[in-house]
Amino acid sequence: MATRGFTGRPPAAEIRERLPPGQYLTDDFPVLQLGPTPRVSLDTWRFTLREGARPIASWNWEEFNALPRTRWKGDIHCVTKWSKFDTAWEGVSLDDILAAAGIAAPTPYVLAEGHDDYTTNVPVADLLGGKAMVATTYDGAPIEPDHGGPARLFVPHLYFWKSAKWVKGLRFTQKDEAGFWELRGYHMYGDPWREQRFTGD
């Protein structure tokens, strides 16, 4: 995955170039979620790929962390209008997950599924080619539960609601099925640079 080479606080011109329309820069990492933070035991954690209801492949925590690792550093953007620069993540790319399962993506879309029953839809094309990972570390440490740990989907080129917290698997779907927020008026795709926040944007 591409790594930005910025260090320190960028000058004002670079900030403007890196901020999508309508966003503001924050040094904080705001916590936004639907309800209480799930406490997911690593002893029972599993990540599962499904085609519809049919399991395709599954890994426990030890098996998942033995897969090839990917690092990414760059900017993230929340639909609530904050952006955070130069965030550092590590995990397993979706390319390596499919390779480990020995499959190609069987359908054009997925629904990411979380331990809190949250779902969000993402086209497969936006997960492959080094564009996304299942992240297990942030800023050199295990992801804290409030930020989606032990593992979250990480799709940094889309608004951050697409990076489902506490992810437990991906369900491949033939159609682009709306997830939790998409059913409640959020955009089906969510490109920050096109300000695709809500249906019709």
Side-chain angles (χ1 to χ4, degrees), residues 46-62:
R46 294 197 73 84
F47 182 81
T48 302
L49 300 178
R50 304 179 191 275
E51 184 177 0
R54 180 177 67 90
I56 301 172
S58 187
W59 298 265
N60 64 25
W61 184 252
E62 183 178 355

Side-chain angles (χ1 to χ4, degrees), residues 168-187:
K168 63 181 180 180
L170 299 177
R171 176 158 56 90
F172 289 94
T173 60
Q174 290 291 344
K175 297 180 180 179
D176 193 11
E177 298 182 16
F180 180 88
W181 283 118
E182 294 81 14
L183 287 169
R184 290 159 176 82
Y186 277 35
H187 199 277

Side-chain angles (χ1 to χ4, degrees), residues 61-69 92:
W61 184 252
E62 183 178 355
E63 293 165 342
F64 190 81
N65 282 279
L67 299 178
R69 307 289 292 177
V92 183

Side-chain angles (χ1 to χ4, degrees), residues 131-152:
K131 296 178 182 177
M133 70 169 80
V134 173
T136 56
T137 72
Y138 168 72
D139 201 21
I143 299 175
E144 295 179 3
D146 281 348
H147 290 300
R152 73 178 296 161

Side-chain angles (χ1 to χ4, degrees), residues 36-83:
T37 298
R39 301 295 169 175
V40 183
S41 169
L42 299 185
D43 293 333
T44 59
W45 184 92
R46 294 197 73 84
F47 182 81
T48 302
L49 300 178
R50 304 179 191 275
E51 184 177 0
R54 180 177 67 90
I56 301 172
S58 187
W59 298 265
N60 64 25
W61 184 252
E62 183 178 355
E63 293 165 342
F64 190 81
N65 282 279
L67 299 178
R69 307 289 292 177
T70 292
R71 294 179 180 177
W72 185 93
K73 184 176 182 181
D75 308 338
I76 57 176
H77 311 289
C78 182
V79 71
T80 60
K81 300 191 176 183
W82 60 263
S83 292

